[in-house]
Amino acid sequence: MSTHDAIKDALIAVAILNLVVSVAVASSSAYSGRQKMLQILVIWVVPVAGALLLGLFMLTRRGNAPRTGYPSERSEDIGQIWSGLHPPDQKH
């Protein structure tokens, strides 16, 4: 399974979980209409807000990351670097 497939599957799982919990909140008789609406809003906004905040954090820290020692050729497959298929100082 590729990283792309894993991310896609994780996003689908989160969407399904959010949908199931949203339906459970909407059908609950324990909350008023306003409470239901606010809780459903939180269910859907928190994952998006978390992703945005972490994405912005990563963008602001991009220039401050320590050097890894890996070759910096633009044509390199980043998946190979992350999976450790070649040592940092080895040219290929």
Side-chain angles (χ1 to χ4, degrees):
M1 176 185 280
S2 71
T3 303
H4 183 269
D5 289 338
I7 291 171
K8 182 179 74 170
D9 291 346
L11 289 174
I12 290 170
V14 168
I16 290 171
L17 178 63
N18 283 0
L19 185 61
V20 168
V21 175
S22 295
V23 169
V25 168
S27 63
S28 173
S29 61
Y31 306 112
S32 69
R34 181 183 167 113
Q35 287 175 318
K36 290 178 185 182
M37 184 174 49
L38 290 174
Q39 289 180 359
I40 292 171
L41 185 65
V42 168
I43 290 168
W44 288 95
V45 169
V46 168
V48 174
L52 287 174
L53 289 174
L54 289 173
L56 288 172
F57 176 76
M58 289 176 60
L59 283 174
T60 61
R61 303 292 300 165
R62 189 181 335 178
N64 299 328
R67 294 192 55 88
T68 61
Y70 290 109
S72 60
E73 297 170 14
R74 293 179 78 75
S75 63
E76 212 166 53
D77 179 13
I78 198 76
Q80 288 183 344
I81 292 174
W82 288 353
S83 63
L85 295 178
H86 56 80
D89 296 323
Q90 177 183 349
K91 296 284 183 191
H92 53 277

